[in-house]
Amino acid sequence: MEPSLPTLLLQLLHGFALWLVSSVHIALAIAVTLHALMKKDEVHAAVGWIGLAWLAPFGGALAYWLLGINRIGRTGVALGLRKAWQSEGDLAEAFAVPDEAVDAPLGGVARVARQVTGKPLLAGNRVVPLPDGDTAYPAMLAAIDAAGQSVTLLTYIFHNDAVGEAFVQALTRAQARGVQVRVLIDAVGSRYRPTGVLRRLRALGIPCAAFLPPAFTRVLSHVNLRNHRKILVVDGVVGFTGGMNISANHWIGRQPATPVHCLHFEVRGPVATDMQRAFATDWAFTTGERLHGAPWFAPPQPSGSVLARGVTDGPDADMDHMRQVILGALAAARQRVRIVTPYFLPDEVVLSTLQTTALRGVVVDIVLPVRSNLPLLDWAMRPQFDALLAAGCRIYLTPAPFDHAKLLVVDGAWALIGSTNWDARSLRLNFEYNLECHDGELVRKLSPLIDTRIARATPLDAATLARQHLPARLRNRLVWLLSPYL
């Protein structure tokens, strides 16, 4: 019995639908394959996305469109808009020193950083450590209250709490005196805890903006591309940078409900000009307003003995700057490397370099919190520890309160300070700002801060790791697979 006409039509429609779906899937998979082959710099990333596109029809291509394509559009900013501040850069570069001004082998680190960033090492800087909000916030608020020309503030988180209120009031007072004020807050960081600080600042007439707000059509594609920098510059002369957000949690002496240790720095000298250029670039990208000359920039004045260079990093033309500087420092180390970081999920190259550094006989100390504010990260970090301990690295776990400080010190003469964590988010996805500092006296001031942390920490050893139960090991390994996205 032959099939009826309606049955034949249904079969034809079904066959056509299958052909259409298959064709669209293949076309999308081919598009992802070609884009990944041409745009991805790492083999495992390209292979992963290509495999997902072919093995997960439609879903793989959609995930790549949302998460795999860098739509930040800042390459033009990094390479073009930055030229808008060339004159200010020339003023600071009058203090430039050659790589040879740094004794070998750390002179090699200076060369790496210059080649990577395109910026010279600047003499005449003063860098003062400010542990916790107890010392950092009073210094920052005092600087704002003393401002006569301009205040620029860039932060990842700006909580609407007692500390946030103190900053809002200080900024309001500065604006009332006729000081030019600009405030830039990361759009996602500002939503960690609903605060309404941006609305409040706007209501007070203070020019402010949210960096890269994720609109509905790009909520996933931009949620990872965050501005994690912390920069405050007053009158173009004094700057503050480091790891500290604006939050009452950092003011330990006031006994907050959730205390968080951290480390910030006061910076004076020519490198403060670079900090202002970093803010100006981000502000221009966000708002279109370009901050030129006075009152934003001032003629640089020597203030100390630190040789310093600003290192900008982000998913644009600055990609991998921080990672390459870190690798250069590890390769140059001859005696001791000391790392303090709240999150530790570096890629295989950095991990391998750390192991090789320890195997060369260099003392490698890694200071981490025993428990961070992100349990998934704590679990993902564990699988890396076995190989590091086997190579001779020493790992110390500090007790509560959670330590959010970020610091890398090499051979008692070199330090990297700023906002960068040792994880994929900081080293690949976020916009970060650090200072490369060559100065033995500064490192001598930083050493007690590290010593104190180690003194109260618990050393991690292979026996402790071996005692982990199988379910915990499996959990850690499963979460570790997500480490590039945590």
Side-chain angles (χ1 to χ4, degrees), residues 98-110 121 307 332 334 411 413-414 438:
D99 301 335
E100 292 74 19
V102 179
D103 294 335
L106 291 175
V109 188
L121 197 61
L307 304 179
R334 291 297 179 268
D411 287 351
W414 183 92
H438 295 257

Side-chain angles (χ1 to χ4, degrees), residues 68-96:
I69 301 175
N70 183 0
R71 297 181 179 84
I72 195 67
R74 273 185 46 120
T75 299
V77 175
L79 297 178
L81 277 183
R82 226 170 254 163
K83 295 179 181 177
W85 293 279
Q86 190 63 46
S87 59
E88 287 86 1
D90 285 347
L91 293 174
E93 286 167 15
F95 295 85

Side-chain angles (χ1 to χ4, degrees), residues 183-372:
V183 179
L184 183 60
I185 307 173
D186 184 77
V188 171
S190 67
R191 298 177 186 179
Y192 274 22
R193 181 192 302 172
T195 64
V197 167
L198 280 168
R199 289 195 300 272
R200 178 120 187 272
L201 292 171
R202 290 184 184 117
L204 291 168
I206 296 174
C208 59
F211 181 87
L212 205 66
F216 177 77
T217 56
R218 61 188 185 202
V219 63
L220 290 178
S221 61
H222 280 180
V223 73
N224 281 324
L225 306 175
R226 305 321 321 157
N227 197 321
H228 194 242
R229 296 168 180 165
K230 290 91 174 170
I231 297 174
L232 169 66
V233 181
V234 176
D235 292 340
V237 174
V238 56
F240 296 84
T241 193
M244 213 172 302
N245 294 297
I246 297 177
S247 169
N249 293 336
H250 292 306
W251 203 315
I252 307 298
R254 294 189 175 184
Q255 299 181 330
T258 309
V260 178
H261 286 299
C262 205
L263 183 60
H264 226 56
F265 297 86
E266 179 182 315
V267 181
R268 294 177 183 269
V271 81
T273 299
D274 186 77
M275 296 171 64
Q276 188 72 305
R277 282 189 298 185
F279 177 91
T281 302
D282 289 348
W283 181 259
F285 170 73
T286 304
T287 69
E289 180 187 15
R290 301 191 183 190
L291 310 178
H292 287 288
W296 311 106
F297 293 89
Q301 298 294 328
S303 299
S305 61
V306 179
L307 304 179
R309 176 185 358 246
V311 182
T312 50
D313 190 77
D316 58 358
D318 291 337
M319 177 74 81
D320 268 355
H321 283 187
M322 214 72 70
R323 180 173 171 272
Q324 291 187 60
V325 170
I326 288 171
L327 289 171
L330 295 177
R334 291 297 179 268
Q335 299 169 359
R336 193 171 196 181
V337 171
R338 311 183 86 183
I339 301 164
V340 179
T341 181
Y343 315 114
F344 187 77
L345 279 170
D347 61 35
E348 288 298 323
V349 174
V350 176
L351 282 172
S352 178
T353 304
L354 276 169
Q355 293 171 53
T356 303
T357 302
L359 290 170
R360 289 194 288 110
V362 177
V363 176
V364 178
D365 291 332
I366 304 170
V367 184
L368 312 170
V370 68
R371 186 174 293 105
S372 76

Side-chain angles (χ1 to χ4, degrees), residues 18-75:
L18 288 176
W19 173 84
L20 182 62
V21 169
S22 299
S23 299
V24 172
H25 163 52
I26 291 171
L28 290 173
I30 290 174
V32 170
T33 299
L34 294 175
H35 192 277
L37 286 174
M38 298 302 296
K39 299 294 184 180
K40 295 300 175 186
D41 296 325
E42 298 176 352
V43 171
H44 73 272
V47 170
W49 283 117
I50 291 171
L52 185 65
W54 284 100
L55 297 176
F58 301 104
L62 177 63
Y64 184 76
W65 182 76
L66 289 173
L67 300 173
I69 301 175
N70 183 0
R71 297 181 179 84
I72 195 67
R74 273 185 46 120
T75 299

